[in-house]
Amino acid sequence: MNPNKIMIIEDDPIIQTELKNLLIGNGYEVSVLSDFLNPVANIKKYNPHLIILDIKLPYINGFSICSEIRSFSDMPIIFVTSSDTDMDELNSIMLGGDAFITKPYHTAILLAKITSLLKRIYHTKQCMDYHWQGAVLHLENSSLEYNNQKAELTKNELKILSYLFKNAGKICTRTDIIDDLWDNQLYIDDNALSVNINRIRDKLKEIGLNHFIQTKHRQGYLI
Amino acid sequence: MNKKLYFKNLLPSFLLQILCMLLLSLFLLAVGNSFDSILFILFTWIGIDFIITSFACQKRKKELEKLLQLQEQLKEQYLIPELMKIPERADDQVFYFLLKTAEKSMLEQIDQIRRERMEYKEYIEQWIHEIKTPITAIKLLCENNRSPFTRDLLTELEKITRFTEQALYYARSEHTEKDYSIHEIRLFDIVHRAISDNKYLLIKNNVTIEITESDDLVFSDEKWVQFILNQIIINAIQYRTKQPKIHIYAKQQANQVCLFIKDNGIGISADDLPRVFEKGFTGKNGRIRQNATGIGLYLCKRLCNKLEIGLDLTSDTNGTVILLSFYINHFICQVQ
């Protein structure tokens, strides 16, 4: 499946680089616009699936770029800006932007918006399963399958396992897991994490999956 | 108007008249008029004088009292020359001119100060706007290079963001007319955002968050409400006990949606309770715990007043409960 292409139109060099790294790390193909004098030509050439557009840019205003894009394409545009005045938000909507995020943004929220926009506009069927060592994590119905046996998972358990599966083969620190859960509005603390991991292990044992989650002493968990 | 003083001022005129009466009497006597006719003239003179002077005094007193009342009702009392009739007496007119000139100079000063304040506020907004770019850059750098070191950086960055937000809303709370807009918003979406804004501080202090979620919709400005919730959450963290816990839940009551933010912290003492919304008030506990600026709750109260959100506090040694009340306006629903 071809990765979705995202184009970043932003003038700050650090944000350009880091945003690109963030998106690539989440499986997207990314291009950063460098020629602010001919933005539209470059956009047409790269033909991205989605654009992240800063309003305040050199030479040209983000809103005008948006209007120009809208003259030939319906691709989703996410406006990003430091200013949070309502005029900006209104303009974004009226000129055809699909979302409006203020800096500094929560990256989890930005990523979630990108995913939902892509799903909505391109009707891409998201891969709803993670596979690892014979186990299949079904996100849609919140369960883990192994050897044709299924274990039902709670919201917390599903999120923890998603994180472990996404980083399969790598050690995930407790703090990173807690961080990820908090980004998804699941506010667990350190103790709750241990409790949840143990519960997951019990459930996995019931379907014959032993020692799936390893504890790396003082470092974290690993699958 | 001081009646005693009024008559005291007329004393020279009275003395002059008495002198004239005396001279006239002597003259009339000299030309052969009887005592009776002289007395008659004098009594008539004094009588008329007395009546007219009393009337004049009453009239003058009434006029001036009216003016005084007029000024008392004015919020900007220096504008009184605008409401006065131009006086008829020559000397009064000079005083009127003095008042008018003073008023004009006052208005110019006020105007200038207002302009300067506006410019400063715009500068602050611009500054905050600009600072968000490096903050975002640092945030992205940290999130892309996760380590215990960057986690600490992100915690400090959260603090920086908090202070810049506070500065922004402080500037905005003074001139609010254009800075907020009312939409229908889902209350708990904002609750989650506020928690997310303080993620690192909450996790670092091992705060247990309990949310009893509901789908309540209210009409308000989401950014402002988010800021208010942020302040409340920060206070809850700052004045925590061991094993801190924050519980957020909502209740529908009559024509209001009430959002409760309950913590199990050290509470606010009964003496301090009536003063918590005062600007710069840090209270007993604020002086023991560091970093109390005294601005947080003051700003919240101001913003809530502007948005017509009820803000109430109850507290004891077991913790504090803060209540935000949103009125449900059925008319807006119908328009939409």
Side-chain angles (χ1 to χ4, degrees):
Chain A
M1 195 180 66
N2 284 330
N4 285 304
K5 294 197 287 185
I6 299 185
M7 182 156 220
I8 300 175
I9 306 182
E10 154 73 61
D11 64 326
D12 182 278
I14 304 262
I15 298 185
Q16 276 178 359
T17 320
E18 295 307 318
L19 197 50
K20 181 174 177 179
N21 289 339
L22 177 75
L23 293 172
I24 291 180
N26 277 276
Y28 295 103
E29 201 188 289
V30 183
S31 163
V32 176
L33 182 77
S34 47
D35 182 5
F36 289 101
L37 289 163
N38 297 300
V40 179
N42 280 291
I43 295 171
K44 280 187 180 164
K45 195 163 133 209
Y46 183 66
N47 195 23
H49 292 100
L50 180 144
I51 294 186
I52 297 179
L53 178 57
D54 192 341
I55 295 180
K56 209 174 48 113
L57 295 167
Y59 307 120
I60 190 169
N61 174 282
F63 291 127
S64 3
I65 298 185
C66 180
S67 309
E68 279 197 66
I69 298 174
R70 280 287 167 260
S71 68
F72 64 84
S73 166
D74 273 336
M75 67 176 81
I77 297 177
I78 298 181
F79 277 103
V80 170
T81 179
S82 313
S83 134
D84 59 356
T85 60
D86 290 297
M87 272 328 286
D88 279 346
E89 191 161 358
L90 196 62
N91 280 333
S92 319
I93 298 174
M94 288 184 59
L95 290 169
D98 294 274
F100 181 83
I101 296 188
T102 53
K103 294 184 199 171
Y105 33 75
H106 298 293
T107 47
I109 295 185
L110 178 64
L111 290 168
K113 275 236 162 90
I114 294 175
T115 322
S116 74
L117 274 175
L118 287 172
K119 196 152 108 183
R120 200 182 72 198
I121 309 272
Y122 298 104
H123 308 290
T124 43
K125 191 79 177 47
Q126 288 288 92
C127 181
M128 280 289 153
D129 298 341
Y130 286 105
H131 301 255
W132 183 252
Q133 293 181 350
V136 184
L137 182 68
H138 298 285
L139 294 175
E140 254 178 70
N141 53 26
S142 194
S143 63
L144 187 80
E145 196 183 333
Y146 182 71
N147 270 344
N148 284 320
Q149 285 197 292
K150 263 201 185 154
E152 295 297 321
L153 303 167
T154 63
K155 243 203 219 159
N156 286 350
E157 291 164 0
L158 178 65
K159 254 297 134 202
I160 295 172
L161 278 172
S162 304
Y163 190 76
L164 290 172
F165 269 82
K166 245 194 274 181
N167 295 285
K170 289 189 275 184
I171 301 175
C172 304
T173 62
R174 294 175 67 90
T175 34
D176 281 343
I177 300 175
I178 293 177
D179 233 14
D180 185 64
L181 262 79
W182 276 65
D183 282 340
N184 288 282
Q185 301 179 359
L186 298 166
Y187 309 114
I188 67 169
D189 59 25
D190 214 48
N191 286 333
L193 178 62
S194 308
V195 167
N196 273 287
I197 294 275
N198 287 333
R199 243 189 272 150
I200 295 174
R201 281 176 169 155
D202 288 338
K203 287 190 182 174
L204 296 185
K205 228 197 234 170
E206 278 177 32
I207 61 169
L209 207 49
N210 291 320
H211 308 300
F212 188 62
I213 305 176
Q214 300 168 40
T215 306
K216 287 289 175 193
H217 185 54
R218 283 178 183 267
Q219 288 178 66
Y221 299 107
L222 166 71
I223 65 168
Chain B
M1 189 184 77
N2 188 339
K3 263 195 185 156
K4 261 201 207 155
L5 190 59
Y6 184 82
F7 285 113
K8 192 163 159 212
N9 294 141
L10 287 174
L11 209 56
S13 164
F14 284 150
L15 288 175
L16 181 65
Q17 288 192 52
I18 291 176
L19 182 64
C20 291
M21 281 187 225
L22 218 59
L23 289 173
L24 180 67
S25 310
L26 286 172
F27 173 74
L28 288 175
L29 254 177
V31 292
N33 292 71
S34 66
F35 254 134
D36 285 336
S37 30
I38 296 177
L39 278 175
F40 177 73
I41 292 175
L42 288 183
F43 276 132
T44 319
W45 182 340
I46 293 174
I48 295 176
D49 216 356
F50 182 71
I51 292 172
I52 295 204
T53 316
S54 305
F55 266 133
C57 175
Q58 267 303 100
K59 183 168 171 234
R60 189 75 176 144
K61 185 170 166 142
K62 265 208 186 122
E63 280 172 3
L64 293 175
E65 224 128 78
K66 227 177 166 181
L67 271 182
L68 284 169
Q69 261 181 12
L70 211 56
Q71 189 181 53
E72 216 161 300
Q73 290 171 353
L74 278 179
K75 189 169 149 215
E76 293 140 327
Q77 293 188 330
Y78 50 86
L79 289 176
I80 189 68
E82 300 300 318
L83 297 176
M84 282 169 70
K85 277 187 292 191
I86 299 179
E88 289 161 351
R89 289 194 213 173
D91 46 353
D92 283 349
Q93 279 193 359
V94 177
F95 281 107
Y96 177 74
F97 176 73
L98 285 171
L99 275 175
K100 259 226 129 162
T101 316
E103 178 202 359
K104 182 160 178 260
S105 130
M106 178 77 146
L107 285 171
E108 278 169 14
Q109 271 283 72
I110 292 177
D111 216 30
Q112 186 185 348
I113 292 177
R114 273 211 189 116
R115 242 179 301 129
E116 282 172 9
R117 244 181 140 190
M118 208 48 182
E119 280 166 10
Y120 190 68
K121 182 210 171 203
E122 280 166 5
Y123 171 74
I124 296 284
E125 289 235 15
Q126 181 67 15
W127 183 92
I128 290 175
H129 183 113
E130 297 293 336
I131 204 94
K132 284 190 180 177
T133 300
I135 290 178
T136 307
I138 295 175
K139 197 160 190 223
L140 279 171
L141 277 165
C142 288
E143 292 194 359
N144 284 338
N145 296 286
R146 284 183 189 260
S147 74
F149 167 67
T150 55
R151 181 172 305 275
D152 286 337
L153 278 177
L154 283 167
T155 313
E156 296 304 313
L157 201 63
E158 239 182 33
K159 283 190 204 164
I160 294 176
T161 309
R162 263 197 284 281
F163 279 111
T164 49
E165 284 286 294
Q166 195 182 70
L168 181 66
Y169 282 95
Y170 184 93
R172 284 188 178 170
S173 73
E174 316 256 308
H175 307 262
T176 44
E177 300 76 32
K178 288 174 269 169
D179 290 328
Y180 65 86
S181 71
I182 308 291
H183 298 289
E184 190 173 41
I185 49 186
R186 186 174 175 273
L187 203 50
F188 277 88
D189 281 349
I190 306 181
V191 169
H192 286 300
R193 265 185 253 159
I195 293 174
S196 190
D197 282 343
N198 297 292
K199 181 173 82 165
Y200 290 102
L201 196 61
L202 287 163
I203 294 178
K204 186 171 173 194
N205 289 292
N206 255 315
V207 181
T208 308
I209 305 273
E210 188 186 330
I211 308 239
T212 312
E213 186 133 358
S214 62
D215 281 321
D216 290 298
L217 297 171
V218 297
F219 281 95
S220 198
D221 182 308
E222 56 189 347
K223 295 269 164 46
W224 286 45
V225 174
Q226 190 173 335
F227 175 78
I228 293 167
L229 283 173
N230 262 318
Q231 293 303 302
I232 298 174
I233 290 173
I234 292 167
N235 279 354
I237 302 172
Q238 204 160 352
Y239 300 99
R240 67 188 180 280
T241 50
K242 297 195 198 74
Q243 297 175 334
K245 178 164 178 218
I246 300 179
H247 182 197
I248 304 180
Y249 56 97
K251 273 198 211 153
Q252 283 227 14
Q253 286 176 0
N255 60 342
Q256 296 179 355
V257 172
C258 298
L259 184 68
F260 293 85
I261 301 110
K262 181 172 172 193
D263 71 57
N264 64 346
I266 59 179
I268 303 168
S269 74
D271 308 320
D272 287 347
L273 209 50
R275 301 184 56 200
V276 286
F277 296 122
E278 283 174 26
K279 189 179 195 177
F281 179 74
T282 50
K284 251 187 280 192
N285 294 322
R287 271 172 258 125
I288 303 172
R289 306 267 168 137
Q290 7 77 312
N291 292 334
T293 55
I295 302 270
L297 280 178
Y298 162 74
L299 266 185
C300 284
K301 191 65 176 168
R302 268 196 92 120
L303 296 174
C304 282
N305 286 344
K306 298 274 179 191
L307 292 174
E308 293 190 15
I309 302 174
L311 176 59
D312 295 288
L313 249 162
T314 45
S315 185
D316 56 36
T317 46
N318 292 327
T320 307
V321 181
I322 300 197
L323 165 60
L324 292 176
S325 316
F326 297 84
Y327 281 92
I328 305 178
N329 188 330
H330 298 287
F331 294 120
I332 305 182
C333 298
Q334 283 165 15
V335 166
Q336 290 214 321

